[in-house]
Amino acid sequence: MARGKLKKKTIEGAPLIHGAEDLPSVIVDDYNNELKDKDGFIGDRASKSAFQEKLDEARKAIRKGGDDPLGETPTRELSRKDIDALMKGDDKEAAALIMGAIDDFAGEIVGVLTKYLKQDAWKNTGRIAIGGGFKHSVVGEMAIARAGVLVKSEGHAIDLVPIEHHPDDAGLIGAAHLMPAWMLKGNQAILAVDIGGTNMRAGVIELRLDDHPDLSRAKVWKSTLWRHADDAPARRAAIERLVKMLDTLIAKAEKSKLALAPVIGIACPGIINADGAIDRGGQNLPGGNWESEHFNLPQALAKAIPEISGQPTFIVMHNDAVIQGLSQIPFMQDVEGWGVLTIGTGLGNAHFTNKGEVGDAGKAEKSKDGVKAA
């Protein structure tokens, strides 16, 4: 089911709502689209594990007639760096084997995209940005490029591009685009959080609004990462650890005299209700039970961190694919509608329509070479 079919509660008097459709610079047309066919969720065919399956199938096939050029290491134990090294190495047969898997996987990406593009929310699509951890590799870049060629060969006048920022940074930087200009005015930075099924990341986003009001030069000033999957914490322990991470970042910003806006932006998997509750899709979060009607992450953080820079803390949360996509806003101003896919443990997706200019935070000047700050 597409996100847009949910009934969402409104919060009276709130300047922003969680999981909002109407954001300062864009309308969120769709996210967490859960299209299915007879084989299940179509997005599962374009996940990181789906690429591993393609590569494993290719290795099994070649063993029928000879040695596996990738050696004895099981596919699931080959890291992105391992596979990239084999792609760039002297063994051309190994590189060719991987290229074949890339081609098959790119076909799956296009198959998924074709089905999304038939949805009403995705029909006005001029470009699609690809993010997620898989993008940050030679193999990922090749798969994106190959999928871009295949999409056009099927008659879709759509460019597929890698997301501009490192995926880890995009998942934080996009949070700045959740906030209207008045929340950011007079401040140099905000806090952002990206919670996933394996890692939890918190960071300070330096806004650089004076020189680049469109947030096109926003960057991660400091960040901290916790691989919670190694510790398997309870939900309460995970929240306590996150609070400590944020407190440490606040102290570092204060020591460096970096003016923090009293806001925290949160990226989280799943469908986000207007009151900050997770409707569904949070089953892989640390400790489980994040979808309980008795738990609300924004409220828990606001209670633990009631003030930032002497002002009451305001927290806004949205889907993680949406927030990765929001980081791309300054670079999508020459198209009206655009989408994002995040390839990782699963396939995240979102679609946006630009409001015209880069929202209240600033304006962008279009040029043939891209987007320049006005």
Side-chain angles (χ1 to χ4, degrees), residues 173-185:
I173 291 170
H177 291 274
L178 293 171
M179 320 295 178
W182 62 265
M183 280 189 164
L184 305 180
K185 189 175 181 180

Side-chain angles (χ1 to χ4, degrees), residues 190-194 201-204 224 239-253 260 263-266 301-302 304-305 308 313 315:
I190 67 164
L191 291 166
V193 174
D194 187 5
R201 181 176 280 100
V204 175
T224 180
I239 301 306
E240 290 173 352
R241 178 70 175 265
L242 175 57
V243 170
K244 288 180 181 178
M245 292 164 69
L246 289 168
D247 281 340
T248 298
L249 289 167
I250 291 170
K252 288 182 177 180
L260 281 175
V263 295
I264 303 173
I266 305 174
L301 286 184
I305 307 175
I308 298 173
T313 303
I315 297 173

Side-chain angles (χ1 to χ4, degrees), residues 8 16-20 272-277 296 298 315-318:
K8 307 190 79 173
L16 287 178
I17 63 171
H18 305 286
I272 311 302
N273 286 335
D275 63 354
N296 185 292
I315 297 173
V316 61
M317 185 164 80
H318 217 309

